[in-house]
């Protein structure tokens, strides 16, 4: 993927992620479906990180983030009132589907 195409894709991912309401989460796969790429690519883009991206609002299909990020994410979930369950987010209560 060229730099321009990657930048365009990153911007598309950023737009979808910015729309996730506080206290809700979506999945890498849902974001991928909206922007036309794969879930792993969305994960890579989020891992590159931009200041201000609410990265904790995007999880895998089981409501989990990588273990190294969970403590930080749970601080955000608590602050936002995001329903959690075990080591992740309760997707039945907190799940949000981005509009296509």
């Amino acid at each position: 993927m060229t730099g321009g195409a990657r930048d365009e894709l990153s911007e598309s991912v950023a737009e979808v992620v910015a729309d996730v309401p506080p206290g809700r989460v979506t999945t890498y796969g849902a974001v991928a479906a909206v922007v036309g790429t794969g879930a792993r690519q969305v994960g890579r883009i989020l891992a590159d990180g931009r200041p201000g991206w609410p990265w904790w609002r995007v999880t895998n299909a089981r409501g989990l983030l990588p273990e190294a990020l969970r403590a930080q994410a749970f601080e955000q979930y608590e602050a936002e009132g995001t329903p959690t369950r075990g080591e992740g987010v309760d997707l039945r209560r907190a799940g949000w589907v981005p509009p296509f």
Side-chain angles (χ1 to χ4, degrees):
M1 179 176 294
T2 64
R6 182 169 171 84
D7 291 344
E8 202 172 293
L9 181 59
S10 293
E11 286 303 316
S12 295
V13 168
E15 287 175 20
V16 174
V17 173
D19 286 344
V20 180
R24 305 293 298 274
V25 297
T26 193
T27 64
Y28 299 116
V31 174
V34 171
V35 302
T37 193
R40 286 180 186 243
Q41 185 65 23
V42 170
R44 280 189 211 101
I45 290 168
L46 288 173
D48 287 345
R50 287 189 182 174
W53 278 23
W55 54 267
W56 60 90
R57 294 184 191 150
V58 185
T59 70
N60 70 18
R62 296 184 312 155
L64 300 173
L65 285 168
E67 190 173 334
L69 299 174
R70 287 183 192 159
Q72 211 177 348
F74 267 80
E75 290 176 15
Q76 296 295 332
Y77 298 151
E78 186 175 317
E80 295 182 356
T82 307
T84 59
R85 191 171 114 171
E87 295 181 331
V89 173
D90 183 340
L91 288 177
R92 283 186 281 189
R93 294 175 45 213
W96 179 82
V97 179
F100 286 80

